[in-house]
Amino acid sequence: MTRVQQIGVAIGLAIVALLTILRAGDPAIFKLIRGVTFDEYQRLVPRTFEPMPVRVIDIDEASLREFGQWPWPRDRLALLVDRLSQMGASAIAFDILFAEPDRLSPRNVVSEVAGVDPSLAEKLPDNDEIFARSIAGKPVVLGFGLSNEGHYRPPVKAGFAFTGESPVSAPPYLGASTPLRPQLEANAAGLGHISLNPGNPSPVVRAVPLFLTDGEQLYPNLAIEALRVAQGASTYVLSGAPDRAGIMTSAKIGDFVVPLTAAGELWLYVSPDRAERYISARQMLAAEGASPEVAAAINGSIVFVGTSAAGLQDIRVTALGENVPGVSLHAQAVEQILSGHFLSRPDWADGLEILVIAVLGCLLVVVTTFVSPAVALICGLLITAMALVASWVSFLYAGLLFDPLAPIVSGSIIHFAATSFRILVIDRERRAVRRAFGHYLSPSLLHRIEHTRDALRLGGDDRELTVMFVDVRNFTEISERLAPTDVVAFLNTLLDALSRHVVANEGTLDKFIGDSIMAFWNAPIDVPDHQTKAVRAALAMRETLAELNAGDAFGFGPGQQVGIGIGIHTGLACVGNMGAKTRFNYSAVGDAVNVAARLESCCKEVGFDILISDSTARSVQGMALIEAGAIPLKGKSIRTQILAVVGDERVATSAEFSALVVAHQQLMQALLAHSKNTRKLVGAAKLRAAGVIDGLAEFYRRVSGRTDHFREVSDRFEKSAAD
C-alpha cells in the first residue's frame, strides 16, 4: 500500500467513524428522513381496507347544520349512547373531552340568569347527570387529554400484568391530564388518552403511543381501551425486555397481541380514508331513528364518536398524505389490530443500521481506494440497490421498517469523499507527470497530447521520425581530468542547456546516454515540418554551446572549448512503449535511429558539428546547407548522402553564403572530375567559409582526404550543379 493510499484509507475511515457516530446520535433530520421513507412505502402499498366491526360516528358538517354548533348538549350525547347501545355496539369510545360542565344544561342556564330562585334551578334537569346515567353500565370509554397545568391523573379502569423486566418507564411521560366530570369518570367503563403524537413536532401521525406513564402507573389510549372493553377484558398483559427495564415489546389486549416499539407505540399501517368507515351523527340522531342498514353496521362494532367538521380543528395527516379526522386514526388503530397487519421497527433496527453504515462504509473506502473508479461506482450502486431492496422486501413481506436512506446517504458521502480524494491525488499526480513530461516535451506538444483523442497509443507504432543524436567531443579526455562529481556537474550543465532546445522545438527527449542525447520528432503525435524543427534545434544547440564556452560555464579555463557532434536523419521507425510490463520507456527503434547515430559519429570524420541525411534535407526549406559527400555507414549496402548545416534562413540569404555556395559547387565539380585544381579550390572555399562560420575550416581541410565520398553524385547535387 502506498503512502497516498494509506492517507486515503485513513481519511475514509475517519469519515466512516464520524457518520457512524452521527447515526448513533440519530439527529432530528435523520428521524424526519426515516419517517418520510416509511411514508412512501405505505403510499406504494397501503393497508387494504377491509370491512371491520369498527365505525366512526362522525359529527360532520351535515350534523352541525341539523343540530346546531358544537358543543352539543350532553343529553343529546346521552341519546346517542342509548341508541348505539340498543343497536348492539360492543364499545362506544368518545374522542371528545368532557372536562367542563355542560353550559347548555337547563340547570346551568337558569342559574346564570339574575333574579331566578336557586331552588328552581335545582329542580331543572342537569345534562351531565343525564349523560352519566346513560353511560352507566354500558361499554362506554371516555377520553382524556394531556395538560401542562395541575397534577390531575385519571383513574385506571384496567389492571396490568408484566412479563420480563418492568416496562413502566418506557412510554411517554404523563405529567397531568384534563380532569373529567366526576360522575362521568365514575360511570365510564374505560378511560383512555386521546393524544395521537404527544411531543412529536411532525404533523404526520406515524406511530400512536398506546400507553402513557407517570413513572408508576400506565395509562392506555382510547383505541386499546375501547378494544379491551369490547372484549370484556380486565387486564393488559405487557411484555418487556428479558434483561432490561424500561422497554416494551408487545401488549396483549384480550385475545389480541400487538407488537410495540420500545416506547410502547403502535406503528400505524393506514388504509385510504373510506366513506364506509363513517356514519353521520345526523343519521343516528334522526327523529325517526337510524335506518336498518345503519343498525346492522353498528351491531357488534366498536364505535368511535368524534368530529370531522373543519371548524372543530381535529384534522390530522396520515402517512398516505391524507387529511383525516383524528377520531378515524383511533378507529384505524383498532382495525389494524383486528386485521393482524402490523408494522414493526425492531429494537435492534438502529443497531443494525449503524453496523451497516460502519461495515459498508469501510468496504467502500477500501474499494474506492484500491480498485478503478468504475468498479467502485458499480459497487456503490450495488450497495444502494441492495439496501433499497432489502428494506423494501422487509416491509412488503414482514412489515419490518428498516431505514435504507441512512446507509445509502452515508455510503454516498463516503464514496464521494474517497473518490474526491482519489481525484485530487490523480490530479496532483497528473500535474506531476505533466511537469515530468515538460522536461521531455514542449508545452504546446503537451497541450496537444492532452486535448487530442488517442494522441498517445500504447505499443509499437511505425511512423516517420526525424531522429537526432548529440554527442560530446573528447568526453573521455574531459572525464579523465575531472573528479566524478565534477563530471556529473559538467554533464548536467551541458545537457540541460542543450536539451531545452529539443523541447522548445516540439521534439521528444528520448534518453540521455552518458554524454549523449537522443531525441526525435513527429511522435507521440504528429509534428508538422518536423525535419525543419529538428534542424532549428541543432542550430540553437550550436549557439548555446558557443555562449557556454565563451562564458567559461564549465570552469575549464580560457581556451578549453567543449565541442559536440549532431547527426539528424529522417526515416521510418517504430516508436512506442518498450520494455517490461512493469517498467518501460517511450522510445524509438529502427534503421532511422541507427542512421542518425552513425551520422553523429561521422561528424568526427567529416570535421563538422551538424550533419543531416539527404532524406532530412529534402524537407528542409531555406536553410543554409552544403553537400558533405556520400559516406558508407555500417550495415548499409549503399552510401548515405549527407549535408552540413551551416546556418538558418538568415545565413542562407546572405551574400557571404551565396559566394560560399558558388565556391563549394566548383570544388564539388573538381572533385568529381579529379581536377588538379582541387587544392586551390579548397583554399578558395575555406576563404569564403571564413566569412560565414568558423567551423567549416576543418571541414574543408579534410575534404582532400575524403575524395571518395564525393565521387557518388546524388540527385540533389546534380540538380544544384545543373542550376
Side-chain angles (χ1 to χ4, degrees):
M1 184 188 302
T2 66
R3 179 170 178 78
V4 170
Q5 289 174 327
Q6 291 175 346
I7 294 173
V9 170
I11 293 174
L13 293 180
I15 294 174
V16 171
L18 288 175
L19 290 173
T20 303
I21 294 171
L22 181 63
R23 174 60 186 84
D26 203 19
I29 185 65
F30 277 40
K31 295 177 181 177
L32 175 61
I33 294 173
R34 186 162 59 243
V36 171
T37 302
F38 297 154
D39 291 348
E40 289 300 320
Y41 284 180
Q42 291 203 48
R43 292 179 186 184
L44 290 172
V45 184
R47 181 172 62 83
T48 303
F49 177 80
E50 303 173 78
M52 290 285 177
V54 180
R55 291 291 183 272
V56 173
I57 303 303
D58 188 10
I59 301 172
D60 54 9
E61 300 288 353
S63 300
L64 295 181
R65 286 194 300 270
E66 180 76 18
F67 298 104
Q69 67 180 16
W70 185 263
W72 290 343
R74 288 177 186 162
D75 60 343
R76 185 174 295 147
L77 297 181
L79 175 61
L80 179 62
V81 169
D82 292 339
R83 290 189 176 182
L84 288 171
S85 179
Q86 292 168 5
M87 293 178 189
S90 60
I92 305 167
F94 282 88
D95 184 23
I96 298 169
L97 295 178
F98 299 105
E100 304 294 336
D102 184 359
R103 63 181 180 83
L104 299 178
S105 177
R107 183 180 299 176
N108 293 335
V109 171
V110 170
S111 64
E112 293 179 0
V113 177
V116 176
D117 185 357
S119 62
L120 176 61
E122 291 296 329
K123 297 178 182 178
L124 295 175
D126 182 280
N127 288 347
D128 285 322
E129 292 179 357
I130 294 172
F131 187 42
R133 287 195 299 270
S134 175
I135 67 174
K138 296 184 178 69
V140 174
V141 179
L142 300 182
F144 63 89
L146 277 63
S147 175
N148 295 322
E149 299 178 355
H151 303 283
Y152 173 79
R153 297 183 182 92
V156 178
K157 301 280 185 173
F160 290 89
F162 305 132
T163 62
E165 295 294 327
S166 173
V168 171
S169 61
Y173 185 74
L174 173 65
S177 66
T178 55
L180 293 169
R181 300 301 297 158
Q183 62 269 43
L184 299 180
E185 180 181 272
N187 290 354
L191 299 174
H193 73 84
I194 61 175
S195 298
L196 291 171
N197 52 350
N200 192 334
S202 173
V204 180
V205 180
R206 299 185 177 98
V208 176
L210 297 191
F211 299 94
L212 299 178
T213 183
D214 61 5
E216 297 180 357
Q217 177 64 54
L218 294 175
Y219 301 86
N221 93 326
L222 186 70
I224 61 171
E225 187 72 342
L227 180 61
R228 178 189 68 81
V229 169
Q231 298 179 88
S234 60
T235 303
Y236 294 103
V237 180
L238 304 181
S239 297
D243 55 357
R244 182 180 173 186
I247 293 177
M248 282 192 185
T249 58
S250 66
K252 188 173 186 296
I253 308 161
D255 296 330
F256 299 94
V257 177
V258 183
L260 303 176
T261 68
E265 297 173 315
L266 170 68
W267 279 94
L268 283 180
Y269 190 10
V270 295
S271 65
D273 205 27
R274 297 284 291 270
E276 295 91 328
R277 186 176 283 126
Y278 300 91
I279 298 173
S280 175
R282 180 176 62 86
Q283 295 177 271
M284 293 297 305
L285 296 173
E288 65 276 10
S291 66
E293 292 79 7
V294 170
I298 296 299
N299 185 31
S301 294
I302 298 173
V303 177
F304 290 88
V305 181
T307 64
S308 68
L312 301 181
Q313 299 180 346
D314 188 25
I315 303 300
R316 305 303 179 95
V317 182
T318 71
L320 302 183
E322 296 179 326
N323 295 317
V324 301
V327 65
S328 74
L329 293 181
H330 292 293
Q332 289 227 38
V334 175
E335 287 179 3
Q336 184 177 342
I337 294 172
L338 295 179
S339 69
H341 297 307
F342 296 106
L343 298 179
S344 174
R345 181 165 169 79
D347 298 338
W348 44 267
D350 285 323
L352 176 64
E353 290 161 8
I354 294 169
L355 180 64
V356 167
I357 291 174
V359 173
L360 293 185
C362 292
L363 177 62
L364 277 176
V365 168
V366 173
V367 170
T368 307
T369 303
F370 293 100
V371 302
S372 69
V375 174
L377 178 61
I378 292 173
C379 290
L381 293 175
L382 285 175
I383 289 173
T384 298
M386 289 171 59
L388 285 173
V389 170
S391 175
W392 173 249
V393 169
S394 298
F395 168 80
L396 190 60
Y397 294 102
L400 297 177
L401 298 174
F402 295 116
D403 180 16
L405 289 188
I408 289 173
V409 171
S410 299
S412 299
I413 293 173
I414 294 165
H415 183 267
F416 174 78
T419 302
S420 298
F421 175 80
R422 182 167 180 171
I423 290 173
L424 290 175
V425 170
I426 290 173
D427 185 64
R428 186 187 69 177
E429 292 176 347
R430 184 186 65 81
R431 292 194 301 270
V433 170
R434 196 183 196 284
R435 287 193 298 269
F437 267 94
H439 295 293
Y440 301 93
L441 303 173
S442 68
S444 61
L445 193 58
L446 272 177
H447 180 80
R448 288 168 63 189
I449 290 173
E450 291 173 343
H451 295 84
T452 303
R453 189 178 182 88
D454 297 330
L456 288 173
R457 289 186 290 172
L458 300 178
D461 183 15
D462 290 338
R463 61 192 302 157
E464 183 184 69
L465 299 182
T466 295
V467 184
M468 169 191 287
F469 274 86
V470 183
D471 186 65
V472 179
R473 292 290 169 260
N474 302 318
F475 177 70
T476 302
E477 179 184 342
I478 294 173
S479 61
E480 285 178 351
R481 67 172 186 263
L482 296 176
T485 54
D486 294 333
V487 173
V488 172
F490 160 68
L491 286 176
N492 287 342
T493 301
L494 178 63
L495 299 180
D496 177 67
L498 299 183
S499 61
R500 292 179 183 178
H501 298 299
V502 174
V503 175
N505 286 277
E506 299 187 37
T508 300
L509 278 171
D510 185 304
K511 61 177 70 73
F512 295 103
I513 312 169
D515 62 327
S516 300
I517 300 173
M518 176 183 170
F520 51 80
W521 278 257
N522 207 39
I525 65 172
D526 294 337
V527 177
D529 199 17
H530 52 90
Q531 300 90 341
T532 301
K533 290 176 181 176
V535 173
R536 290 190 191 283
L539 291 171
M541 289 180 183
R542 175 191 284 166
E543 294 179 5
T544 297
L545 181 60
E547 293 172 0
L548 293 173
N549 283 325
D552 194 22
F554 308 117
F556 293 164
Q560 297 293 322
Q561 300 291 303
V562 174
I564 59 173
I566 302 175
I568 301 175
H569 174 64
T570 300
L572 192 65
C574 181
V575 62
N577 288 325
M578 301 177 188
K581 290 183 178 180
T582 56
R583 187 175 181 85
F584 51 81
N585 291 320
Y586 187 77
S587 185
V589 296
D591 184 64
V593 177
N594 297 333
V595 171
R598 287 164 187 158
L599 284 180
E600 178 274 316
S601 298
C602 290
C603 290
K604 302 174 184 178
E605 182 180 359
V606 173
F608 196 69
D609 60 344
I610 304 176
L611 298 179
I612 65 175
S613 67
D614 184 59
S615 63
T616 301
R618 282 195 293 267
S619 299
V620 175
Q621 303 296 324
M623 293 287 187
L625 308 177
I626 60 173
E627 297 290 339
I631 60 176
L633 297 179
K634 183 179 179 181
K636 305 292 289 184
S637 59
I638 60 175
R639 295 192 178 203
T640 302
Q641 186 171 337
I642 60 175
L643 296 94
V645 181
V646 178
D648 57 12
E649 294 90 345
R650 180 183 56 81
V651 175
T653 57
S654 65
E656 292 83 357
F657 182 70
S658 298
L660 173 61
V661 170
V662 173
H664 187 77
Q665 289 179 349
Q666 291 174 351
L667 175 59
M668 294 299 103
Q669 291 172 357
L671 289 172
L672 290 171
H674 302 283
S675 173
K676 296 180 180 181
N677 203 26
T678 300
R679 184 179 296 274
K680 179 180 178 181
L681 291 174
V682 167
K686 289 174 65 175
L687 182 62
R688 297 295 185 186
V692 180
I693 183 173
D694 294 336
L696 280 175
E698 181 64 20
F699 171 81
Y700 284 114
R701 188 184 68 79
R702 298 191 183 190
V703 164
S704 299
R706 299 176 50 238
T707 55
D708 60 324
H709 292 174
F710 298 94
R711 288 175 182 168
E712 295 187 12
V713 183
S714 68
D715 293 338
R716 176 186 175 90
F717 178 73
E718 287 180 339
K719 291 178 181 178
S720 63
D723 294 338

